[in-house]
Amino acid sequence: MKVRIDADLCQGQGRCFSIAPQLFGFDDLGNGVVLKTDELTELELAQAQLAQSNCPEHAIFIEDN
Amino acid sequence: MSENPPVQDFATDFDHTDPQWVNNPYPIWEDLRQRCPVAHTNRYGGAWFPATHAGVSAVAKDTEHFTSRTVVMGNGRPGEEALPAPIGVAPPITSDPPFHQHARRLLLPAFAPGPINDLEPIIRQLCVDLIAKMGDDEIVNGGSGYAQYIPPAVISKMLGFPDEDLDTFLEFVHIVLEGIDHPAEQRMEEFAPIEEYFNKQIQEHIDNPKDDLTTYLLNAEIMGTQLSPEHVFGTMILVLVAGIDTTWSAIGASLWHLASHPEDLARLVNEPELMPVAVEEFLRFYAPVTMARLVKDDYEFQGCPMKKDDWVLLGFPAANRDPEAFEDADKFIIDRAENRHVAFGLGIHRCAGSNLARLELRIAIEEFIKRFPTFELADPEAVTWAQGQVRGPRNLPIRVRS
């Protein structure tokens, strides 16, 4: 599983990089960016899911590739 | 307080300045969600109020049918020529696409987590100093003695205004916020001394550029053109309007909650690692800001026949209490793990200052509970809540020792 941020949906609410700073960072506008672009470990998957369930814009996607 | 006639039925005649709404709006919104869920009123020239998360979300994200030309609901329908409320022409809050994006991109880097997190030591020192000033008082005011000082001092610092002018700046903040729904003409008169002072500061920054928001704005460009001093002034007023009573309301409401819920206060004192999730729950449960939109052209929304230039009151605080969107929505859960609250709005107008607001809220609470690990409301009946589109406690007497 991998995690992805839809840049068109992200509005820089800032929840993902606060909850899971090891997976997400931010760009110079404060929008979320994925730092961990390859396969997620089990622990990382749980963190990604927590970030996803806190994103008000529903901009985080966790996908099987 | 409002001089409008009392409301009998909020579904057909709502008024956000009615004392019932000001003092405790939550049961009203719950009732509306079950009955409407979009309320209407003929007051204010005609307005709608979606009470559900789905309704609020749909309006916030629909810039095709709703305009942000004015975002504070005034006493009548604003004409085409009217200056946008509350701040005149000050992008991006009163801008629509496509211009909105340019104005917003210009502002965002100054409020991104990097530069904002650098302010942490300044904000912490400010809170520590305010608490030290309380001395050995048994009763302190969490509103006028604490929460209300923090955001203006931070904004003044960010703009690079001289520390010794802070009292003058606080007076200006008062004028700007108190007059938010005054007619444009009166507002321009009230703004004259503010404009004069700000222009002096702008000129000072043109002559001696500094590492602050004012110099940043003076150097900023929209589509290759440097901002005019008028645009810089407008944006400064926006920062002031949007960044001050909003944040002090959130700080005040959080202190009010802790003062009246000793079990939550004890948990936060004993488990400081809860602070980040607690801050999000404070923001969900006591979201201070309601915005407004205007209907662009006649449009049917969720079965409601909206007319061109009708107001839509955009209740993010109501969305945050919708049981369709949140489990146990009416319960404050200090360690709520999943919290998609919309306190900072949704879509392209998401609060540009949200990183700053969170930081101020967190530090203000951390320092207060560090100094006062137990406290309670000194006189619950004396607490007053602000009327209008920003809700928070104004008078907040707190007993910090017995």
Side-chain angles (χ1 to χ4, degrees), chain B residues 144-193:
Chain B
S144 57
Y146 189 62
Q148 293 186 20
Y149 278 101
I150 299 166
V154 174
I155 297 282
S156 169
K157 196 76 142 177
M158 283 183 81
L159 290 171
F161 289 1
D163 285 345
E164 61 270 23
D165 291 355
L166 188 57
D167 285 340
T168 310
F169 187 76
L170 287 170
E171 265 173 53
F172 291 157
V173 167
H174 184 75
I175 294 169
V176 171
L177 297 178
E178 294 298 308
I180 206 144
D181 56 357
H182 290 173
E185 216 169 285
Q186 185 185 345
R187 196 120 170 94
M188 279 164 83
E189 239 170 76
E190 292 166 349
F191 265 49

Side-chain angles (χ1 to χ4, degrees), chain B residues 248-263:
Chain B
W248 94 38
S249 294
I251 295 169
S254 304
L255 291 176
W256 178 84
H257 178 90
L258 293 172
S260 48
H261 295 80
E263 67 290 358

Side-chain angles (χ1 to χ4, degrees), chain A residues 11-15 17-19 26-31 49-50 52-58, chain B residues 61 104-105 108-109 112-114 280 337-342 344-348 350 354 358:
Chain A
Q11 299 291 348
Q13 295 265 2
R15 304 299 301 284
F17 51 77
S18 308
I19 288 171
F26 47 85
D27 64 16
D28 64 343
L29 298 179
N31 288 330
Q49 284 166 338
L50 187 62
Q52 185 183 42
S53 63
N54 278 281
C55 175
E57 308 285 353
H58 295 261
Chain B
K61 291 180 179 177
R104 184 170 170 86
R105 287 185 71 93
L108 284 179
E280 300 306 326
E338 295 184 6
N339 194 346
R340 279 194 172 108
H341 74 78
V342 295
F344 294 115
L346 276 172
I348 64 165
R350 185 270 304 169
S354 60
R358 274 199 177 91

Side-chain angles (χ1 to χ4, degrees), chain B residues 69-145:
Chain B
R69 192 161 60 83
T70 180
V71 293
V72 175
M73 201 158 88
N75 263 326
R77 300 165 85 86
E80 292 286 342
E81 303 301 315
L83 281 176
I87 37 167
V89 186
I93 196 169
T94 54
S95 315
D96 290 324
F99 177 71
H100 167 271
Q101 190 192 350
H102 299 286
R104 184 170 170 86
R105 287 185 71 93
L106 166 157
L107 205 53
L108 284 179
F111 291 91
I116 290 302
N117 290 339
D118 290 344
L119 295 170
E120 174 155 353
I122 293 172
I123 301 172
R124 199 172 291 283
Q125 191 57 49
L126 178 67
C127 294
V128 168
D129 291 346
L130 285 169
I131 291 169
K133 261 195 208 162
M134 294 169 182
D136 295 326
D137 293 354
E138 274 177 37
I139 294 173
V140 303
N141 203 303
S144 57

Side-chain angles (χ1 to χ4, degrees), chain B residues 287-348:
Chain B
V289 181
T290 292
M291 293 304 289
R293 298 286 187 266
L294 287 171
V295 179
K296 269 192 192 169
D297 291 296
D298 293 3
Y299 176 56
E300 186 171 310
F301 175 80
Q302 297 191 348
C304 301
M306 296 183 171
K307 298 288 173 210
K308 179 178 159 63
D309 286 343
D310 279 356
W311 297 99
V312 180
L313 201 54
L314 205 47
F316 298 113
N320 278 350
R321 298 283 191 115
D322 184 352
E324 288 288 318
F326 300 92
E327 211 174 302
D328 291 322
D330 59 345
K331 290 196 178 70
F332 182 95
I333 300 173
I334 200 163
D335 57 356
R336 185 182 287 273
E338 295 184 6
N339 194 346
R340 279 194 172 108
H341 74 78
V342 295
F344 294 115
L346 276 172
I348 64 165

